Amino acid sequence: MKSRKQELAQLGEAALEQLRGPLLSEVRRKFATWRDPRARLLRQRKRAKRTAAGSAVSTGVFGAGAFVSASTPTFWGMWGELGWLFQDVATVGLGGVAVASGVGAVSAGLKYRRLMKTPLPEPLPEPAALPQQGSAAREPMQRLRDAEQSLHRALAQLTSEGAGSAAADARGTAASAAAELRRVGERLVAVEAAIPHAPAAQKSALRADVQRLREELGEGLDGYGALVAAAGRAVAASGASEQKYLMQDATDRLAGLAAGLREMFGAGGPGSDPEHRSDPA
């Protein structure tokens, strides 16, 4: 008979197993958001604005203190020579701090102005949840998620170099292709989930569907990877015309791939095409 401690340990392990997926997804999302160039620029703007405001307030406070110190000789005169010495020290000290704060405020204000003129990069794609371990769709979906992050960084670099139109076209096409690939992945997971409940005579046909969908995912990811590679070559290219050609060629190829996936699976799933429908037992 299990002890109370063993039962609690098993319950804790079960709870951790249930929470691991959501917790890891949330940590991954937070980390990706923190690394996002858009979020980083927004943080820099906020920090520069806060610094400028704080320095301006300090300038006003210490400047007012220096003015009061210099304009109240009667008060300092009550203390004799020592009072005059304290007045000079207080006036010069407070005035110096006010000047330093003013310089800091101007510097922070200029930095804030420069940051406000810097265009905000496109936000990072939201990290998508992956299929469960053991699914044939997990590895390609992991590849797709990683490729999206790499493509985002490359396109952001191209945008900063003046190739914004080519980058925008590639970004839209990539988003469409990624959506289509995830639709294929969802179909694959659905077919996998049906296998344990299918009659024995139909399981082989379902496994064949899984294999075919997995191959479709592999081909789609190769096309997506070609766009990522083209974006990397475009970043390395020295001429804007070469950048545009590389990106346009890869974008057109990926657009054709996305259109093909929509045509193949747009009618309602892998079983809707007569050529791909599993034969009933």
Side-chain angles (χ1 to χ4, degrees):
M1 187 173 181
K2 295 181 181 179
S3 67
R4 180 66 174 172
K5 184 181 294 185
Q6 288 176 329
E7 292 179 355
L8 289 175
Q10 289 182 348
L11 287 174
E13 290 176 0
L16 285 175
E17 188 65 28
Q18 293 295 323
L19 291 173
R20 184 176 297 163
L23 283 176
L24 287 178
S25 298
E26 182 64 16
V27 169
R28 188 180 293 111
R29 187 186 68 81
K30 292 287 188 182
F31 183 66
T33 301
W34 181 79
R35 292 180 58 202
D36 184 6
R38 180 187 182 92
R40 186 181 301 120
L41 180 56
L42 289 174
R43 288 197 301 270
Q44 289 175 344
R45 287 180 177 180
K46 185 181 296 185
R47 189 160 49 245
K49 183 179 181 180
R50 187 166 56 243
T51 301
S55 298
V57 171
S58 298
T59 300
V61 170
F62 288 110
F67 174 77
V68 170
S69 175
S71 59
T72 54
T74 304
F75 171 78
W76 296 109
M78 295 170 56
W79 306 93
E81 293 295 329
L82 187 61
W84 300 121
L85 177 61
F86 282 160
Q87 181 186 26
D88 293 339
V89 171
T91 302
V92 173
L94 292 173
V97 174
V99 170
S101 298
V103 171
V106 172
S107 176
L110 292 175
K111 181 179 181 181
Y112 177 70
R113 182 180 180 185
R114 174 176 58 81
L115 291 173
M116 289 300 295
K117 289 183 178 180
T118 303
L120 282 173
E122 291 291 326
L124 276 172
E126 188 75 15
L130 296 175
Q132 64 182 2
Q133 290 283 358
S135 171
R138 184 177 178 86
E139 187 270 338
M141 291 298 96
Q142 176 72 62
R143 285 176 55 197
L144 177 60
R145 189 171 69 180
D146 295 342
E148 284 181 308
Q149 302 293 326
S150 298
L151 181 63
H152 174 83
R153 289 190 289 269
L155 294 181
Q157 183 65 33
L158 289 174
T159 301
S160 67
E161 294 176 359
S165 59
D169 291 341
R171 186 178 292 110
T173 301
S176 176
E180 295 300 327
L181 288 171
R182 287 198 169 91
R183 287 178 61 194
V184 178
E186 291 169 359
R187 285 168 167 78
L188 194 159
V189 171
V191 175
E192 285 180 326
I195 291 177
H197 311 287
Q202 296 184 13
K203 288 186 177 181
S204 60
L206 290 172
R207 292 191 181 98
D209 281 338
V210 169
Q211 180 62 30
R212 176 177 52 78
L213 290 169
R214 178 63 179 81
E215 292 172 357
E216 293 287 346
L217 277 179
E219 293 176 6
L221 282 167
D222 288 342
Y224 197 98
L227 179 60
V228 178
R233 292 197 304 272
V235 171
S238 57
S241 60
E242 185 178 0
Q243 288 178 341
K244 185 176 181 180
Y245 169 76
L246 288 170
M247 291 303 301
Q248 190 62 53
D249 180 63
T251 300
D252 291 343
R253 291 175 183 271
L254 188 59
L257 172 67
L261 291 173
R262 279 193 299 271
E263 182 178 351
M264 183 176 299
F265 299 117
S272 61
D273 191 339
E275 293 183 2
H276 297 298
R277 186 178 296 127
S278 302
D279 294 332

